[in-house]
Amino acid sequence: MSKINIYDLEPKELTGMLSGPSFRATQVLNWIYKKNITDFKEMSNLPKDYREALEERFFAGALTLLRKEVSLDGSEKYLFGLPDGKTVETVLLKMKEDEYDDDGKKTREARYTVCISSQVGCKVGCAFCLTAKGGFERNLTVGEIVEQVAFIKKDKEFGEEKSINIVFMGMGEPLDNMENVVKAIKIITHKDALCIAPRRITISTSGLATKIEKLANLNLGVNLAISLHAVDDVLREKLMPINRAYNIKSVIDAVRGFKADKRKKVLFEYLLLGGVNDDIASAKKLAKLLSGLDAKVNLILFNPYEDSEFKRPTTEAAEAFRGYMASKKFICTIRESKGIDISAACGQLKQRDKDGR
Ligand code: SF4
């Protein structure tokens, strides 16, 4: 009988599988998620024979760290090996530095966002994406998704109380692996597991309209980000072939039905590609398209990679675009390129590892 990865299990499932008193599952989860101990032998408050029985049936953790790159801006990119020899990336983004008062006392902790992957490769095939070039290999399991967060918390020695944000914006389309992503979110948010509030989690999708509707009905309390990237179907189809199945109107209609956390707005990601979609005419169309939606717009400056057919927009073009959106009362930010010196384009570290660089 093959062993079960505990990261694959919701707490209630583990409880149902364990013998003895019901608090045993909580004890095991406490070691794994709160104390970052995954070796059953070290779980000292469990009887020795109980630890041996656990070892026979379970294991905790399937990821192997193959490579890590640290950027000058504090971003860190992890390349993980999976049990079948495939690889996947996770990125830790430092969003804000520690803050200190005049006496040198820390007044606020640095803020981090973990960008996690949901698939090895991706079927969506966006023209600007390096992950897409490698095609689709497989969905990540629930445990492989959950462990990306647990691994980084352990690696960075983030305590239980440290609040981090999570975005499903790494490799893969999360709504194309919806069942595993939803279960992973239930584990990530559970008080006995990673205990991260749903409002700190964002699912970023290329716009699978029917799945957005399903996600809305699950009422998970997570946030939604839509990768729009274009304001007319012809260009969007060129950039994102998924637009043939779900055009812009169907995506916007699905978003209108999504009830985000009351304090949050639906986020639209718009990748500015130099000379392609960064002009004021596009900004005007975008503002019209989103009118009436409680939306926030994130402009992302394209990060060119070797041989990419697109270029980075100029700062002036990006500022003018943002200024127009702001004049139409949208909260519109230009996302800083994090980790530009460390293979920041999605899929780039994996590619460099393959090439032996
Ligand atoms: S950008 Fe995201 S959805 Fe598009 S191909 Fe890349 S991983 Fe898939």
Side-chain angles (χ1 to χ4, degrees):
M1 195 177 67
S2 58
K3 290 189 186 183
I4 299 164
N5 185 358
I6 290 190
Y7 286 116
D8 273 323
L9 302 174
E10 283 186 59
K12 65 179 178 205
E13 288 180 292
L14 183 64
T15 307
M17 285 178 183
L18 295 184
S19 58
S22 60
F23 61 79
R24 288 283 182 237
T26 314
Q27 284 179 309
V28 173
L29 293 170
N30 198 48
W31 282 107
I32 292 174
Y33 287 109
K34 320 287 186 197
K35 296 183 179 151
N36 297 319
I37 299 289
T38 50
D39 183 347
F40 299 117
K41 288 187 202 75
E42 292 180 42
M43 299 182 180
S44 54
N45 60 353
L46 299 173
K48 188 164 178 283
D49 54 349
Y50 200 90
R51 284 181 257 162
E52 285 165 2
L54 281 173
E55 188 115 38
E56 273 170 29
R57 267 186 92 190
F58 301 99
F59 67 103
L63 304 184
T64 313
L65 181 63
L66 298 180
R67 186 163 169 168
K68 183 171 151 181
E69 290 184 0
V70 182
S71 159
L72 294 175
D73 66 17
S75 307
E76 296 177 34
K77 201 155 191 173
Y78 295 71
L79 181 72
F80 290 116
L82 305 173
D84 57 2
K86 300 188 187 304
T87 58
V88 76
E89 291 178 10
T90 310
V91 183
L92 177 72
L93 300 169
K94 195 173 200 180
M95 309 307 281
K96 281 204 173 115
E97 298 290 334
D98 287 329
E99 284 178 14
Y100 299 88
D101 63 15
D102 293 342
D103 300 323
K105 200 173 144 228
K106 197 186 279 185
T107 50
R108 202 171 74 179
E109 293 278 336
R111 298 230 186 116
Y112 292 91
T113 294
V114 184
C115 178
I116 59 177
S117 294
S118 53
Q119 297 179 314
V120 183
C122 185
K123 291 179 204 159
V124 175
C126 300
F128 47 81
C129 171
L130 204 56
T131 297
K133 302 216 183 304
F136 173 74
E137 295 185 57
R138 70 167 171 86
N139 282 331
L140 290 187
T141 62
V142 172
E144 288 163 348
I145 297 171
V146 173
E147 196 189 345
Q148 291 174 65
V149 183
F151 192 104
I152 287 184
K153 279 195 85 174
K154 178 177 183 176
D155 189 54
K156 299 299 297 176
E157 296 179 0
F158 289 159
E160 211 190 312
E161 65 304 326
K162 172 95 183 163
S163 49
I164 50 172
N165 294 316
I166 294 173
V167 288
F168 281 85
M169 207 184 271
M171 298 167 68
E173 161 53 65
L175 296 187
D176 188 40
N177 183 16
M178 191 161 166
E179 203 179 313
N180 288 354
V181 165
V182 167
K183 187 172 174 189
I185 288 172
K186 288 181 179 165
I187 298 169
I188 289 169
T189 53
H190 197 285
K191 67 172 177 39
D192 291 339
L194 283 165
C195 194
I196 293 173
R199 70 187 154 80
R200 294 198 172 277
I201 300 175
T202 299
I203 294 186
S204 174
T205 174
S206 58
L208 275 59
T210 49
K211 298 284 181 70
I212 292 172
E213 282 156 14
K214 275 192 187 159
L215 185 70
N217 292 334
L218 291 175
N219 270 325
L220 293 173
V222 297
N223 306 298
L224 186 65
I226 307 287
S227 299
L228 199 59
H229 305 330
V231 282
D232 67 73
D233 283 318
V234 176
L235 177 61
R236 193 164 191 269
E237 214 167 290
K238 195 174 160 231
L239 298 176
M240 305 175 75
I242 190 87
N243 199 72
R244 279 184 218 122
Y246 304 104
N247 65 14
I248 294 176
K249 183 179 179 313
S250 72
V251 176
I252 301 290
D253 286 350
V255 171
R256 287 189 198 280
F258 190 90
K259 296 277 169 284
D261 183 308
K262 291 268 179 296
R263 292 162 293 186
K264 300 260 182 168
K265 296 170 186 295
V266 174
L267 182 69
F268 284 86
E269 305 274 4
Y270 190 93
L271 184 67
L272 286 174
L273 303 162
V276 175
N277 64 356
D278 59 346
D279 55 335
I280 288 297
S282 300
K284 287 185 174 175
K285 283 188 193 161
L286 181 60
K288 204 164 177 190
L289 196 64
L290 303 185
S291 69
L293 269 176
D294 204 8
K296 186 180 161 192
V297 178
N298 223 352
L299 301 173
I300 307 160
L301 306 182
F302 179 64
N303 228 355
Y305 51 86
E306 253 170 67
D307 304 328
S308 73
E309 60 175 300
F310 300 107
K311 53 183 204 282
R312 199 176 160 82
T314 62
T315 311
E316 294 75 34
E319 268 307 331
F321 200 109
R322 194 202 61 74
Y324 181 81
M325 296 305 292
S327 75
K328 295 292 166 192
K329 307 282 179 264
F330 287 99
I331 296 176
C332 182
T333 48
I334 296 176
R335 191 194 299 161
E336 251 182 86
S337 271
K338 292 277 180 190
I340 196 159
D341 54 325
I342 56 157
S343 321
C346 145
Q348 204 163 313
L349 180 59
K350 179 178 164 112
Q351 191 60 39
R352 283 176 50 179
D353 194 68
K354 265 192 192 164
D355 297 348
R357 279 180 281 152

